[in-house]
């Protein structure tokens, strides 16, 4: 009976998404009705996904055939267990909040773009992401995956009149289809050995070691491309900033998480586990991605581009956790692997929350100031106080500051790496663990620095442009959306045990019932068996610290006469040019890591044409090259172009040339046959 309700809810939600999209386009001439229909359908459908996800958090697996094709492999199969229900919950929650936010945000485009198409695209996009995690067969998965990729491409090029957006869309669509090719290969190897196209028949299949490894490599490349792992990441820093901000929130908060869903589905549910090198490879790629992401984020002054690189960094952290879990599974340690997965999945939720929040906040700033350039912002805390508060919460969360949610998941990730470093008697493994701890610590420090820069350059000091000077608070629906996410970031930091039960059910569905993680998680204490932390004590200590600081301030301030006045600037008027810019603030880091980042700086002198002995001004230009593109993709592209030019000469359109080719082929075949 419960399964029947679940199926009705899922089918109803999908139907509502599709109906809302179609009706939004049909009523495009009446923006009010079109928006009302689209938003109503989206809200109800997302609530349906949340309800269906909650019902799916059981030990039962819901399977159903929604459509029977001409051939059996073209059936549309649905499959929901606790693992997929977990991701469905994330799609529904973020989809619902983004819809509320979009009610206010899309007014930015009214009168110059088709908002009906944008709303319709958003609905289909959410529907496709839900379809990916509910897919029960290869065909259904690839169809949903392709719809998700194609519709997100159209959303990325929504402002296609801008040349940089067109380029971003082109690179995105090429990279995503390269990833799909590898996924298709992986799925068909699985089909060859399981004899079925249905996921339910692929659970725990036995493959030869070589076939397992080929599936693993294809899955790592295919899903790694969607996740933005280095060196397959090149689409992400372009596509996420180009899309409208609420779509960026969906792409960064949800879409790239479908890559983790797919990778875990294949490596842990289908293949269960593999050799040690799988885990080491994933950790190395994850560590490299995390470090690369945060260093390049520090070099960006575009808010959304910086957040996109931050997403790359966070995906790297999650893949480090997955790699640790793979190593422990290969060593026959399911409990340790489960704890690493707990850290990964909890960080996945947290990243979905705070990164969606930050993209929404960046969208609010963009809407009011019409720029993403942090060097032109500043002083917005007085003009947009609520947005500033929400962005501060998001920044503290992503920087893993207690008591925010990011702190708990990164603390658990640290515990996993420490456990790996002390595991067994292998010196190489100890050194490897120590190296990864150092990498993670460095990434954590750089992320904290990054988001101090992000918040202070946007909201503090003086406005550095007229646009920032004239900004005001955004519409209420946008504030409601950001407010809900901010509250969630605080709650999941203070009371993480609320969600840990759900994650443990997810892990049980993923790694099997025999290895149920048994962590002691109570309102008073989070104990993992390796270490423990009291959330209540942590919060109490923070509150006590704040109280003591306030008391000292009052004690000293009470004896000192307070005189308020302008900031002293050596007797001259303080102007915005005297404040730090985002570029200047991060310069020490760029200098310290210039060997890794290959950063360079040049000085441009503007000479007076009438008198070369006097200059009108100097301009410093700082550049961080796109290392991966310059040293990997461009040589490949040059090779492909060179090969294409050779084939172009061969296929020259001259009939005599083709006759010569036929003659040469005939002679070659004769010689070959005679020689046998």
């Amino acid at each position: 009976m419960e399964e029947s309700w679940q199926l009705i809810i899922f089918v109803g939600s999908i139907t509502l998404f599709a109906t809302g999209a179609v009706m939004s386009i049909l009523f495009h001439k009446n923006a009010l009705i079109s928006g009302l229909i689209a938003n109503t359908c989206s809200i109800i459908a997302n609530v349906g996904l949340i309800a269906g996800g909650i019902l799916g958090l059981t030990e039962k697996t819901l399977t159903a055939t929604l459509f029977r094709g001409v051939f059996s492999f073209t059936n549309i199969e649905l499959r929901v267990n606790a693992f997929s229900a977990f991701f469905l919950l994330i799609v529904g929650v973020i989809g619902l909040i983004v819809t509320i936010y979009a009610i206010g945000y899309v007014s930015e485009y009214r009168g110059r773009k088709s908002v009906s198409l944008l709303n319709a695209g958003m609905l289909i996009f959410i529907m496709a992401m839900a379809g990916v995690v509910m897919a029960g067969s290869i065909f259904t998965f690839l169809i949903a995956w392709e719809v998700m990729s194609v519709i997100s491409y159209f959303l990325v090029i929504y402002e296609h009149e801008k040349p940089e957006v067109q380029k971003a869309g082109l690179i995105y669509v090429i990279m995503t289809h390269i990833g799909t090719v590898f996924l298709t290969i992986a799925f068909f190897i699985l089909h060859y050995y399981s004899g079925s196209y249905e996921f339910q028949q692929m659970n725990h299949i036995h493959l030869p070691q070589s076939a397992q490894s080929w599936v693993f490599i294809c899955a790592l490349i295919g899903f790694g491309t969607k996740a933005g792992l280095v060196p397959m990441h090149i689409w992400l820093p372009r596509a996420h900033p180009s899309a409208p901000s609420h779509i960026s929130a969906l792409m960064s908060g949800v879409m790239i998480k479908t890559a983790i869903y797919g990778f875990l589905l294949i490596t842990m549910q289908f293949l269960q586990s593999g050799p040690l090198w799988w885990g080491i490879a994933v950790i190395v790629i994850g560590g490299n991605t995390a470090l690369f992401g945060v260093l390049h984020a520090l070099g960006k002054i575009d808010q959304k581009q910086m957040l996109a690189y931050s997403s790359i960094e966070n995906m790297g952290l999650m893949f480090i956790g997955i790699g640790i879990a793979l190593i422990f599974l290969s060593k026959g340690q399911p409990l340790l692997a489960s704890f690493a997965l707990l850290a990964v999945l909890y960080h996945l939720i947290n990243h979905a929350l705070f990164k969606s929040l930050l993209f929404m906040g960046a969208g609010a700033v963009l809407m009011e100031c019409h720029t993403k350039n942090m060097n032109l912002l500043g002083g917005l805390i007085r003009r947009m106080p609520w947005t500033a508060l929400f962005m501060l919460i998001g920044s503290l969360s992503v920087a893993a500051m207690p008591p925010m949610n990011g702190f708990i998941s990164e603390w658990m990730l640290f515990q996993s790496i420490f456990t790996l470093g002390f595991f067994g008697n292998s010196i190489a493994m100890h050194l490897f663990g120590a190296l990864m701890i150092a990498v993670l610590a460095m990434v954590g420090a750089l992320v904290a620095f990054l988001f101090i820069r992000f918040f202070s350059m946007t909201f503090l000091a003086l406005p550095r442009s007229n646009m920032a000077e004239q900004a005001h608070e955004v519409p209420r629906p946008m504030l409601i959306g950001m407010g809900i996410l901010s509250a969630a970031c605080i709650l999941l930091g203070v009371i993480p045990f609320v969600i840990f039960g759900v994650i443990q059910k997810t892990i049980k569905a993923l790694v099997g019932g025999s290895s149920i993680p048994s962590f002691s998680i109570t309102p008073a204490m989070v104990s993992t068996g390796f270490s423990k932390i009291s959330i209540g004590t942590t919060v109490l200590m923070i509150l006590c610290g704040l109280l003591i600081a306030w008391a000292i301030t009052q004690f000293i301030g009470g004896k000192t006469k307070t005189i308020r006045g302008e900031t002293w600037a050596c007797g001259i008027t303080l102007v915005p040019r005297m404040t730090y810019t985002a570029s200047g603030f991060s310069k020490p880091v760029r200098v310290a890591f210039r060997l890794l980042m290959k950063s360079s700086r040049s000085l441009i002198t503007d000479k007076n044409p009438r008198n070369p002995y006097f200059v009108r001004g100097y301009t410093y230009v700082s550049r961080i090259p796109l290392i991966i593109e310059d040293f990997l993709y461009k040589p490949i592209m040059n090779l492909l172009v060179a090969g294409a030019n050779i084939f172009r000469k061969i296929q020259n359109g001259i009939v005599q040339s083709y006759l010569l080719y036929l003659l040469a082929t005939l002679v070659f075949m004769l010689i070959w046959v005679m020689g046998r």
Side-chain angles (χ1 to χ4, degrees), residues 419-671:
T419 309
L420 179 69
F422 288 104
F423 181 76
N425 299 317
S426 167
I427 294 174
M429 191 58 75
H430 295 332
L431 291 174
F432 183 65
L435 178 65
M436 293 316 299
I437 289 167
V439 169
L440 194 60
M442 184 187 295
V443 169
L446 290 173
V447 169
F449 182 82
L450 175 68
F451 280 90
I452 288 171
R453 184 187 77 142
F454 174 70
F455 183 79
S456 58
M457 295 302 118
T458 305
F459 294 101
L460 303 183
L462 296 172
R464 290 185 288 277
S465 67
N466 288 332
M467 299 173 290
E469 181 75 41
Q470 294 167 6
H472 52 80
E473 196 54 275
V474 291
R476 194 163 294 172
M478 294 172 68
L479 294 178
I480 292 172
M482 291 189 285
I484 295 170
L485 288 174
S486 302
C489 287
I490 296 171
L491 286 175
L492 289 189
V494 178
I495 48 174
F497 47 85
V498 171
I499 205 74
F500 277 9
V502 172
I503 300 177
Q504 289 191 64
K505 287 180 182 175
T506 306
I507 295 170
K508 181 181 173 185
L510 184 62
V511 299
S514 59
S515 53
I516 305 170
S518 56
F519 308 119
S520 167
I521 300 164
T522 68
M525 193 73 73
V526 177
S527 172
T528 64
F530 323 111
S531 65
K532 57 181 67 175
I533 185 170
S534 169
I535 304 301
T537 307
T538 305
V539 173
L540 191 63
M541 287 175 65
I542 291 171
L543 291 176
C544 286
L546 291 173
L547 188 64
I548 291 169
W550 178 80
I552 292 172
T553 307
Q554 290 299 308
F555 178 74
I556 297 173
K559 296 180 178 177
T560 308
K561 186 180 178 183
T562 304
I563 301 173
R564 296 186 183 279
E566 294 293 327
T567 306
W568 171 248
C570 300
I572 58 175
T573 306
L574 189 68
V575 294
R577 282 176 60 85
M578 296 176 183
T579 61
Y580 262 115
T581 61
S583 306
F585 193 80
S586 58
K587 182 186 171 186
V589 177
R590 292 201 307 274
V591 171
F593 290 92
R594 63 179 180 275
L595 286 177
L596 280 176
M597 301 169 73
K598 305 290 182 189
S599 60
S600 61
R601 192 183 68 165
S602 55
L603 175 65
I604 300 173
T605 306
D606 182 15
K607 292 182 179 176
N608 189 335
R610 295 181 179 177
N611 189 341
Y613 296 104
F614 292 92
V615 295
R616 291 188 297 195
Y618 294 99
T619 305
Y620 288 96
V621 179
S622 172
R623 182 177 180 271
I624 299 175
L626 301 170
I627 301 171
I628 302 294
E629 293 177 41
D630 290 347
F631 293 97
L632 179 63
Y633 288 99
K634 282 185 180 175
I636 292 174
M637 285 297 296
N638 292 337
L639 200 63
L640 287 174
V641 170
N645 285 331
I646 293 171
F647 279 103
R648 191 178 175 184
K649 288 178 182 175
I650 294 172
Q651 191 181 357
N652 51 20
I654 302 172
V655 177
Q656 290 88 336
S657 297
Y658 298 140
L659 290 173
L660 182 63
Y661 301 152
L662 285 172
L663 180 63
T665 307
L666 186 62
V667 170
F668 174 77
M669 293 294 290
L670 284 172
I671 294 171

Side-chain angles (χ1 to χ4, degrees), residues 382-399:
R382 294 184 181 89
R383 292 156 184 82
M384 304 173 71
W386 285 107
T387 302
L389 174 64
F390 299 144
M391 292 288 267
L392 177 62
I393 293 171
S395 299
L396 290 173
S397 300
V398 71

